[in-house]
Amino acid sequence: MVHISEHLPSTPKLRASLFAFLLFLVVSRGDVPRTRSVTPSTEETVETYNKYYNYVDMTGRLQSLAQRYPHIANLSSIGQSVEGRELWVMRITKDPNRDTPGKPQFKYVGNMHGDETLSRQVLVYVVEYLLTNYGAESRVTELVDTTDVYIMPSMNPDGFERSIEGDCGGSSEGRNNAQNKDLNRSFPDQYDGTEVNPGTIPEVMAVIRWIQENKFVLSGNLHGGTVVASYPFDDSASHVRQGYYSQSEDDGLFHHLAMVYSQNHPGMKTGVPNCPDAPDETFKDGITNGAQWYDVPGGMQDYNYLHGNCLEITMELSCCKYPPAAELHKEWDLNRESLLAYIETVHIGVHGYVKRAVNGAALANVSIVVASNRHNLTTGKHGDYYRLLLPGTYTITAVALGYTPMTVHSVVVVEGKATELNFTLAPVVNEGPGGITVTTYTMPSTNDPNLPTTTTTTTDSSDSTQTRLVPEATSNSSPSILSTEESILQPIQPQEFRHHSYADMELFLRKYSSEFPSIAHLYSIGRSVEDRVLYVMVISDNPTVHEHGEPEFKYVANMHGNEVVGRELLLNLIEYMCRNYGTDPEVTQLVNNTRIHIMPSMNPDGYEVATEGDVAGYKGRNNSNDFDLNRNFPDQFFTIKEPRQPETIAVMNWMKSIPFMLSANLHGGSLVVNYPYDDDKEGITKYSQAPDDKVFQRVSRAYSQENPLMHNGHTCENLYHGEYFKDGITNGALWYNVAGGMQDWNYVNTNCFEVTIELGCVKYPMGIELPKYWEQNRRSLLQFIHQVHSGVKGTVSDARDGTGIPNATISVEQIDHNITTALTGDYWRLLVPGTYSITASAHWYKPVRTYATVSKDHVELVDFRLTRIHSDPNGQSPKGPQPTQNPSEKAFQSLIKDLSLGQGLEQLVRSTATENSFRYRRYKELSGFVRGLTLNFPKITSLHSLGQSVEVRTIWALEISNRPGEAEPSEPKIRLVAGIHGNAPVGTELLLEFAALLCINYGKNPVITRLINETRIVIVPSVNPDGREQAIEKQCTSIQGLNNAHGKDLDTDFFGNASQRVVEAQPETRAMMDLILDKTYTLSVALDGGSLVATYPYDKPVQPVENEGTLKYLASVYAKNHPKMHLGNTGCSTNGQMGNIPDGVMRAAERQSHMGSMKDFSMDFGHCPEITVYSGCCLFPPAEQLPTLWAENKKALLSMLVEVHKGVRGVVRDKSGKPIVGAIIVLNGGVRVFTAEGGYFHALLAPGNHNIEAVADGYQQQRQEVVVSSYEAASSIIIVFDMDNSIFGLPREFVVASAAASMTALVVTACIIWCVCAAKSNRQKDGFHRLRQHRDDYDDEIRLTSMGSKKSLLANEFQDESESDEETLYDNKI
C-alpha cells in the first residue's frame, strides 16, 4: 500500500454504495468447494527465522503445524489464485472443527501485494507462536480459548513467486496478481463501484466470499513499504490525491485500534519511519487516516467495514518491501507484541446474544443499532454479536423483521473486557393493525452477567394491554436454534365464500377499509363504460403513500367479466391479510415490507351479465362496448386499431402512476401460469422470448409449485385433451398468440413484470366450489408476492447532497430491458441468481457500474451515488449570500417538484376538466370571447391591443395574472402565441380554451390558483387575423390564408437589422416586435400546424446555437407531455413528413430553414427562448377533431407553466443592498440576459451545472456555479457586486481627477473654436446641422429600442383599446 502513484487511478471517479459480489455463483459451482481440507505432512516445525518460505515450503510448514496441533489448529483453503495456488487459512481456536457460540472471529491477511513479503513470513511466525505456546503461556492460552483466529499468510502467492528478495522499492512484477491486477484496488468501492472483471481476480472473489460467509469482528491487513498503521476510509468521494481526511462512523474507534498496534511497535510509535524513498515523511503517533495519506479506491479495509460486519486496519511493517532474510528475526521481534495486542482488542465493547422470547431460540441477522452511529452490524447464526466500542455510555437497539424492537439505555462500556448485553425479542403477536410500540429497558448498573427477568407491555389500538413474560437469560448458556417444530398460531381463514355482485363487492371493500384503516385503503383508478367504479384496495403498514425502498405489487382480476375465480380469490386474500396481520408472521412481514394493491374486478360491467355455471362461454367476457380488454392495450408488434376503452386507459394511467415491480393478472378457463411475450412479429404460435425470460420462468414457477394440481401440468383434460404444460407454466405466444395483451404492455412500458394466471378450467364455477379454489391457491398467492423481495434493490442518489435521483436508469449487462428509479430514487430489479454487471445512469450525471451477485433467498441491496457532470468535486456550496425562503416559497417549490415528477401533472389535467363546445371562431367571435373573459374574470385578466392588422383587425393580447397590468419583475413571464399563419387556426382555439381553463379554475383549483399567482401569462391567440378569415376548414395542405392581407408570410418578416429589411415591417409584425422587445419574458411558445413536432431556434440556416442544449430541452418538455409527439412518428403523409424524429424534437432550420422568423427575433433581440409547436399534420382539420387535439395538448401547455419556473433566478445588488438594473448575466460564457427593475433576472437552463457571470459598469465581475434540476424550481441566487476601484489599472480617484482636468480644457478650447466659427459665418441661424440617422450604423440593441411605434408597451404597459372603433370601421368595410 505505500506511495505507488502509478497505480492510483487517474480517471474521473464514479460513486456507488456497494455490496458483496455475492457468492452464490462461486459457491454453487460444483467444481469449486467452499473450503479445501488438507492432509497434513510430518515436516519438522522448528523455526529458524532466517529464510523466506516459498509456496511449497509454506504449504508444507502449515500442513505440519495443523497435524501437530489438531486440537487447536485447522488448515483449509478458501480458494485458488490465478495460477492455481491454494489460498491457505489457518484457523486457531479451541475445537477448530466446529463453530462454538461466544467466540469473536478475528483474521489477519498478509502478502496481498506479492512483493510485500515481510507480512507473509511474520504471519507464519504468529501461527507458530500461538500453537507452540498454547498451554504453556496463560496469555496465549486465554486468547486461543476465547477467540476464533484466522490467519492467511499469503493472499497473493503468485505475485510472491515473481518477487525478488532485497527489492525494497517494488521494482519487480510481483505486486499484482498473475492477471496484473492490484488486489487492493479491486474490491467494490463505496464511491466508484468496481469495473474489474471477477474472472481476473479469483483471489479477491475468494476473500469476499470468505468475509460474507463469516462474521469477522476485527481484522488486520499486513503490507510493507513504510512503517505506519492506516485506518478507514481509504478514499473519498472527491478522490483528492492526498491530505483529505475521510472519516467513517467509527473514526474514534479506528483511531484507537491503530494506536494499539503502533504504540506496541518500538519503531512505529515514533511516527518517523525514516524510509529512504521518503525521508521527510512522518506520521503522528505512527498512525494515519488512509485517504489523508493517499487516496486508494477499491481497498480491502473499507470493504470489510462497509460490507462485512468487520473493522479492519492496514499495517505497514517495514520500509523495505522485500527485506533480506537476515532481518526477519529483528522484524518479528518488533511486531510480535503489536500483533498479539491487536488480536486482544477484539474483546472490547459489548457482546451478547439475541433470542426469541417464546422459546429462547437464537435469532440471526438481527441489526444491532448504536444510537448516533449509522454503522450497524448483525448477529451471527447463533444469535451472537460483538460490537467494538470505546469506553462510554450508549443506547443500543436490537431490530429484527417481525419482532418488536428492544432498546437498552445507559449501556456502560468500560476499558478492558466487553460488557455483556443480551436481547430478547418478542414476535409481533396478537396486536391490532395500529398498535405496535417499541419496548425500552434501562441497563442494570451492576455488571452481573445474568440478566433479570423482564416484563414488557405492548399497547394495541383498542387500549387494551397484553403482558408477556420474557424468560430469564444468562451469559453462560448458549441459545438453542429455532426448532422447525415450534408451535405457532394457525392463521385465520376466510369465513364466507360466495359470488359477490358489484354492490356486494363494493360493500365488502368499504367494510374492510373501514375496519382496518391502518393497513387497508380503498381507492378508485377510474370508471367502467357503465360508470362503475374500478376499485383498488391497497394493503400495507402505511397504505396511502409509497415508502422509500418498499416495493409495489399488484393483483388484477376479472379482466374478462365471466372469469370470476380471481375476483373471489382476491376478496378472500384481502380478508386473510387483514385478519392475520399482527398475528401471523408471514402476513405481518409481507404487509410491513410490501405495498400490495388488489384490484378484484377490472371489468365489472361484464361480470354483471355473466352467468354462474358458465364453463367456457363468452357471455360477459368483453366490456359493455363489446371489446376484449386483453386485446386492447398498445402492442409492441402490431397496431391495435380498436379504440382504447375507459377501463384500459384507467389501468394504463394507474400503472404509470405507481412504480409497480411485480404483478399478476388472474384469469380462468385453464390451469397454468402464462408469461411474456404473448405475441411475436409474425403473429404465429411459437416461443416469444422476453429479455427477462429466466425471471419470468422463476416467478411463474413460484406460483405453480404451490398449487400441486397446476404444477402437474395435465390440466383440463375434459376440455382440452392432450394439453400439457411442463411445471404448470408456459410462454404466452407458445400457447397461443395474443396481440394487445396487458402483461406485455406492463413489461414493455413500465418497470413491472406481469404474468397471467389461469386459475381453473371452469370460468364461472358454482359458488359451492369456491372454498376449494381458495385452498388450492392460498399458498400460491402469498408465495408470488414474496417474489417481489428477490433480485436487487437500492437507491440512486446525488453524491453531493444525498438526494434521490428520480427516473435514473438501471441497466443490466446482457439483458436488454432497463428500469427506472421512482420519485425518491429507489428502485427494484428482479433477477435470477447469478453475478451481474449493473449500471446506474441519469441525465447530467456520470454513470456508475458495479458487479452484484444475486442469491436465491433474499434481495441484494445495491445503492448508487452519482456525481453530477462538471460539479464541484468537493461538494462545496456556492459562495456569497444565499436567499432565505419563507414557508410560502418552500410550498411553491414543493408544488413545482410534485408537478414535475410522477403523476402530478396528470392529476392536474384530470382535476381541471371544463365544459366546452369546441368550434372554430372567426375574428368577431374571438374578440367577443376574450372580452368576455375580462368581463367575467376582471381580477385576473387584462385585455390589450398590440396593434392592428392590414385590414384593421385588432391583434389582442390577454394577460392572466393575480395583478394584471402591474409590473412584477420577480415573477417569470410566459408568452403563448398562435395564428401567425392564418391557415393553421388550431393553435388559436387551443389557446382560447387554455385561457378559459385558467380563468374558470382560478380560486377553485389550488394548483391553478398558485400558478397564476406566481406567473405572468400573456396569450396572443391570433397574430394574423386577416389570413384566418381567408382560410378554409378541412383543408390540410392549402396555403390559402397563410399570408397576411399584403401576401406576406409574417414568419419571414421579423428582421432586427435595417440592412436586412427591403420594405417596412408589416403592421402585424411591428405589433409583435414591440411585444417581444419588452424583454421581460422568460419563455415563449408559438403554436402552428402542418406537422407533429416541437422545434427550437434557429430558423436561420447555418446559425450556430450557443445554448442549444437548453433550447432542445425546452422543446422536449412539451413533446414528452404530448401523447403522440414524443414518439417521433409523425406520419404526416400530407406534407411528405414521414420520417422518425427522435423524441419529437428538432432544430427549426432542419425542418424548413428561412430568414426573418419570430422565434429568431425573440432569441436575438428579445433575449427570450421561443419554441414552435406544430400541433398536427393537418393545417385546418375538421372542428370535430378539436376536442382530441385539446386533450393531446392540455398537459403539454400546463407543463410550460411549470417549466417557466425552473432554471436559475436571482437578484443583483451592490454592497449597500441597492438593486442594479441593466446588469448583464452571461450564461455559460455565451447567452445574455439583463436584470430588470429591482435587479431581478430569470433564465431557463437545461438540467445540469452552469456557470453564471454577472457584469455591470463600475463593478467587479462576479461568477457563480449553479445546478439546475429537471424537477425542481429555479435555483435562486443573490449576486452582490463590489465597486471596481480601478480604471485602466490606475486608482479611480487619480483617473477621475485627470479626466475632469482634461474635460475642462476641452470645453474651453471648444468654446474658443465656436466663437471663431460663428464670427465667420451667419448663413445658418441655428448654428448646427441635424445629423442624419443611419440605422445600419447603430448597434442593434440601441436601434431597436427606438424603432417601431412609441407605445407605452416598452415600459411594461399596454394601451387598453378594448373600446376602440376598428370593429365599426371593419363592419363598414364589409
Side-chain angles (χ1 to χ4, degrees), residues 738-805:
V738 174
M742 183 166 71
Q743 71 175 13
D744 286 9
W745 189 88
N746 268 269
Y747 179 66
V748 173
N749 295 279
T750 74
N751 286 348
C752 187
F753 290 57
E754 180 170 284
V755 300
T756 302
I757 303 173
E758 304 282 347
L759 296 167
C761 302
V762 178
K763 293 185 177 182
Y764 200 149
M766 304 303 292
I768 195 171
E769 298 181 27
L770 291 177
K772 174 189 70 175
Y773 284 100
W774 169 251
E775 193 56 39
Q776 289 173 352
N777 289 280
R778 175 175 60 87
R779 286 303 315 152
S780 296
L781 289 167
L782 295 174
Q783 188 59 38
F784 189 75
I785 300 175
H786 278 296
Q787 302 311 301
V788 83
H789 296 286
S790 62
V792 296
K793 70 172 185 177
T795 301
V796 180
S797 58
D798 189 308
R800 173 177 292 188
D801 55 18
T803 58
I805 302 174

Side-chain angles (χ1 to χ4, degrees), residues 109 119 144 215 345 389 425 445 518 552 780 895 897 974 1362:
V109 176
S119 60
V144 173
K215 290 286 185 181
T345 57
L389 291 169
L425 301 188
S445 57
S518 63
E552 304 272 354
S780 296
L895 173 63
K897 187 172 184 177
I974 183 171
S1362 59

